[in-house]
Amino acid sequence: MKSILVSMLLLSTTFCAVVPSVKKVDYSGFKVIRVASTDDVKDQIESLAAHVLNPGKSTEIDVVVSPDNVEALIALVAESKVLNEDVGAALAEEGEMQTYAVPSESWFTAYHPYADHLQFLKDLQAGYTGQSEIVTVGTSIQGRVLTGIHIWGSGGKGSKPAVVIHGNVHAREWITSMTTEYFAWQLLTNATFKSLVDKFDFYITPIVNPDGFVYTQTTDRLWRKNRQTVSGNTCVGRDINRNWPYKWEVAGGASTSPCSETYKGQVAGDAPENKGLKAQVDSLKGSRGISLYLDVHSYGQYILWPYGYDCNLRAENDAQHRSIATRAQSAIRAVSGTAYTIGPSCSTLYATTGSSTDYTDVQGNATYSYTYELRDTGSYGFTLPANQIKPTVVETWAGVVSMLKDA
Ligand SMILES: [Zn+2]
């Protein structure tokens, strides 16, 4: 009795080692065949089939059959029809099962409502809880929380110099939130970029002007500023990228009229969105420091660096800014042929005061600060068609990867 039990145990152990119970059925070459059944062959059909798909049916049965049994099955019945030539191939098209709701690449084929952008970040973060967290960067004038994602690598949270990326500061520049989300998505889902994730702590906030963004979706697609009012004036909105408290007071790079698209505000940094963004920059400056700051805008196809407030002044590392931008420009062109213009922002595009990159360069002590102006050069402008989202995010990411390798 005892020896029999031992033999059985040995047998089952051996059996398990040879045929692991977790192995998935391979349906390569299996067919789905619809056969005309009669009572006298029904049992034989079922014995030849791997699965009966409509087991309740009596006269017309759909079965999954292995390649070895196809001939025998067809010979058995009066009528048959192949519904699917290869079940294995069909399963491959269905895609891999995902444990977490990590957003897929199809996100980048359409524009989305504000709430969905927040959900995108949450879903992405939920798939990578060990190397990311949702962060908040202050609150808008209407009470929306500026929401971003912090991504880190093998060194652990907060252990590396910061890369800070802001998108959609100008409400109508919809392509910029899609693009900055693509950066985050690539960093977390694409193992190719592990060395970059290990090199920096990334702080990506795709929509830093949520009120304006929502307004472009509810009311005016071409709205630019935030939604802050000025006492005694009917015009609405400050330009968040003219409100940073550095060289804000200099004339010529912004407007003092509340009705203007580039209204600078009443006091430096008086937009609540700017308070939050400034606090983020100041805090990271005080911890591990900022290696790279990117403010992503559209349109025009430019890569710009300080300064905005003075067309003759150059950053002390102007030459490094230029060589890094030159390589990014080439990387973008190599993907798609899209041509970017590069240079210090004031002398290359136009004068700006109270701009983000001047602040991050001087006050934030960032090693490199750039403004991207994405596609296009004006044919579609801010309303880039959905079929250009994917090519735009892919080419821009190539430019940013080049910068991250250089920085
Ligand atoms: Zn802009």
Side-chain angles (χ1 to χ4, degrees):
M1 185 65 181
K2 194 182 172 190
S3 66
I4 293 171
L5 188 63
V6 170
S7 313
M8 282 175 69
L9 280 169
L10 277 173
L11 188 68
S12 63
T13 310
T14 312
F15 183 80
C16 285
V18 175
V19 187
S21 59
V22 292
K23 196 173 188 310
K24 246 181 139 176
V25 176
D26 178 7
Y27 282 108
S28 301
F30 280 57
K31 293 182 194 303
V32 179
I33 302 180
R34 179 168 294 170
V35 295
S37 172
T38 50
D39 280 336
D40 56 315
V41 295
K42 201 172 178 206
D43 287 350
Q44 286 169 278
I45 291 171
E46 286 185 5
S47 70
L48 286 170
H51 288 286
V52 176
L53 298 178
N54 51 350
K57 276 221 168 189
S58 54
T59 55
E60 203 174 58
I61 306 180
D62 295 347
V63 290
V64 176
V65 193
S66 75
D68 292 342
N69 289 346
V70 168
E71 250 185 62
L73 179 77
I74 290 172
L76 192 65
V77 297
E79 271 183 76
S80 65
K81 181 185 174 191
V82 176
L83 299 182
N84 190 305
E85 285 288 353
D86 189 340
V87 176
L91 289 175
E93 280 181 32
E94 193 181 40
E96 287 296 315
M97 208 58 86
Q98 290 184 340
T99 309
Y100 298 101
V102 174
S104 78
E105 199 157 16
S106 66
W107 174 258
F108 303 100
T109 59
Y111 296 103
H112 308 279
Y114 178 63
D116 288 9
H117 281 278
L118 295 180
Q119 196 60 47
F120 170 91
L121 285 185
K122 283 179 191 155
D123 290 346
L124 181 62
Q125 194 278 331
Y128 299 89
T129 53
Q131 59 173 132
S132 66
E133 64 183 354
I134 296 293
V135 290
T136 59
V137 195
T139 306
S140 72
I141 190 76
Q142 294 177 338
R144 293 186 177 88
V145 174
L146 279 60
T147 305
I149 187 166
H150 172 198
I151 298 167
W152 60 88
S154 58
K157 178 177 159 181
S159 63
K160 301 292 180 184
V163 171
V164 181
I165 299 175
H166 293 157
N168 237 141
V169 55
H170 291 140
R172 60 195 174 195
E173 299 166 6
W174 285 8
I175 188 62
T176 66
S177 40
M178 300 304 299
T179 302
T180 49
E181 284 163 356
Y182 189 75
F183 301 165
W185 186 74
Q186 282 289 326
L187 288 168
L188 284 172
T189 65
N190 192 339
T192 310
F193 303 113
K194 185 183 185 308
S195 62
L196 298 177
V197 175
D198 288 343
K199 187 178 175 185
F200 301 107
D201 274 66
F202 291 86
Y203 300 82
I204 300 174
T205 310
I207 302 177
V208 303
N209 178 10
D211 298 349
F213 184 75
V214 168
Y215 193 72
T216 62
Q217 299 193 322
T218 60
T219 310
D220 180 358
R221 174 65 189 84
L222 293 179
W223 186 256
R224 168 184 169 97
K225 299 181 284 182
N226 75 357
R227 294 296 299 163
Q228 194 168 3
T229 53
V230 179
S231 173
N233 196 296
T234 55
C235 288
V236 176
R238 283 157 173 70
D239 184 340
I240 296 172
N241 200 31
R242 300 294 185 277
N243 191 249
W244 288 80
Y246 179 71
K247 301 294 178 185
W248 176 88
E249 67 288 351
V250 175
S255 176
T256 54
S257 163
C259 297
S260 166
E261 296 273 17
T262 60
Y263 177 51
K264 61 159 71 177
Q266 293 178 295
V267 178
D270 69 349
E273 295 85 356
N274 283 80
K275 289 183 169 69
L277 298 170
K278 174 187 181 296
Q280 180 195 39
V281 168
D282 292 353
S283 155
L284 292 170
K285 171 194 179 184
S287 51
R288 293 278 167 175
I290 300 171
S291 278
L292 178 65
Y293 173 77
L294 302 178
D295 198 5
V296 184
H297 293 249
S298 71
Y299 55 87
Q301 296 170 201
Y302 291 93
I303 297 172
L304 306 167
W305 59 91
Y307 293 99
Y309 76 94
D310 185 326
C311 292
N312 298 309
L313 201 64
R314 292 291 177 266
E316 61 177 14
N317 60 351
D318 179 74
Q320 290 98 314
H321 267 102
R322 181 174 292 279
S323 66
I324 287 175
T326 301
R327 282 193 288 275
Q329 179 191 38
S330 301
I332 293 169
R333 196 189 299 117
V335 170
S336 54
T338 302
Y340 266 66
T341 304
I342 68 168
S345 63
C346 182
S347 58
T348 306
L349 187 54
Y350 45 59
T352 55
T353 52
S355 77
S356 60
T357 45
D358 283 2
Y359 185 88
T360 54
D361 179 85
V362 179
Q363 303 289 81
N365 202 24
T367 311
Y368 301 105
S369 293
Y370 293 98
T371 299
Y372 271 77
E373 297 280 358
L374 305 180
R375 288 190 193 191
D376 54 13
T377 55
S379 311
Y380 291 102
F382 300 115
T383 56
L384 207 58
N387 67 12
Q388 286 199 43
I389 297 172
K390 188 72 190 302
T392 302
V393 302
V394 168
E395 74 189 7
T396 310
W397 176 235
V400 171
V401 166
S402 169
M403 286 187 162
L404 294 169
K405 286 176 177 169
D406 285 345

